[in-house]
Every structure is written in C-alpha cells, then in structure tokens.
Amino acid sequence: MSFFISRLALREFDLDDGEIKLVCYHVTSDNYIYKITLKKTREHIGFCDLRTGHTPSLYYLGNIGYRVFPQYRGHCYAYKASLLLFSLAKKLKMDYVLITVSPDNTPSIKTCEKLGGEYIETVDVPQWH
C-alpha cells in the first residue's frame, strides 16, 4: 500500500517566528520533520524534528532533535527552532519534551539551559538503542 501527501497539506504544519521558518517536509503519526530556513533569504540552514510520545526509545533519542549547518551556528537558531517546536508540542497536548545531548556537546547543553531545561541525569545508552 502506498500513501501520498501533498505539499499543500504539509503547509499547515509550517512554523514561523519572523526570523526563521520551519518548513515541514515529512509527517508521520509520531514525527514532524522540518527544514530550518532563514525567512528573509530562504536559505536552508539545518533540520529539526519533533518526535511525539514518551517511549523507552525516545528517552534516549529525545522528543526534539536539531542540526544547524556549521556556517550558521552561533546565532541561536537551534534555540529558536526548539521554541517553535515547543508550541507544536503544546498543541499536541504533550506535557513535557525531552532533549538529549552528548555530555561533551557544550553548545547543545547551553541551548537546553537557555530553553529552561532541567537536567535529569547522564546515562549510558543501552546497546539495543
């Protein structure tokens, strides 16, 4: 069985803060995947996604993921994208989101702190993950 969705249908999931726009390009029942673009120039500067639910696998993967291309780092784009994803999570009635980071990824740790994140713990990732 094949399923198709039009770009017009995906536009309802686009998110915008005036500076960046999250352009939705793929939706599943539990994942919203975006290109991060600069609104003025339409430059593609990275990716982000919101993974819904709170499964054991998502405890290690996290509900929010982001990747900003190296030449665009240092402008708080991951922070801004995460704020937009928070608004989507709220609409989806998620009570909380987890963001996981590698303990040596200082920029992502700072992003989580700026977002008001509360440190839970550092754990080893299980082999099954």
Side-chain angles (χ1 to χ4, degrees):
M1 183 181 307
S2 298
F3 294 90
F4 298 89
I5 189 165
S6 73
R7 178 69 195 122
L8 290 174
L10 290 175
R11 283 192 185 140
E12 74 177 274
F13 300 111
D14 286 358
L15 303 167
D16 182 328
D17 76 355
E19 180 180 7
I20 64 167
K21 182 173 184 175
L22 304 187
V23 178
C24 187
Y25 71 91
H26 189 72
V27 175
T28 66
S29 62
D30 59 358
N31 200 358
Y32 296 78
I33 304 172
Y34 292 91
K35 291 180 183 177
I36 306 171
T37 61
L38 294 177
K39 193 159 182 195
K40 270 187 182 176
T41 63
R42 297 185 181 178
E43 289 172 86
H44 177 207
I45 63 169
F47 296 96
C48 63
D49 66 324
L50 175 69
R51 304 169 203 110
T52 61
H54 299 295
T55 64
S57 181
L58 284 178
Y59 185 76
Y60 299 98
L61 186 59
N63 295 114
I64 288 180
Y66 48 77
R67 179 172 184 264
V68 176
F69 300 145
Q71 65 269 35
Y72 298 101
R73 293 178 185 164
H75 301 279
C76 298
Y77 295 135
Y79 167 77
K80 293 170 185 178
S82 295
L83 288 177
L84 290 169
L85 293 176
F86 283 0
S87 69
L88 176 59
K90 189 173 184 175
K91 286 180 190 174
L92 297 172
K93 302 195 184 319
M94 292 177 69
D95 294 330
Y96 64 92
V97 296
L98 288 173
I99 301 175
T100 60
V101 299
S102 175
D104 60 349
N105 187 340
T106 303
S108 280
I109 291 169
K110 287 182 180 181
T111 296
C112 289
E113 290 170 348
K114 187 172 181 173
L115 289 165
E118 179 183 323
Y119 172 78
I120 298 173
E121 66 180 335
T122 300
V123 298
D124 292 328
V125 178
Q127 202 124 26
W128 59 262
H129 191 270

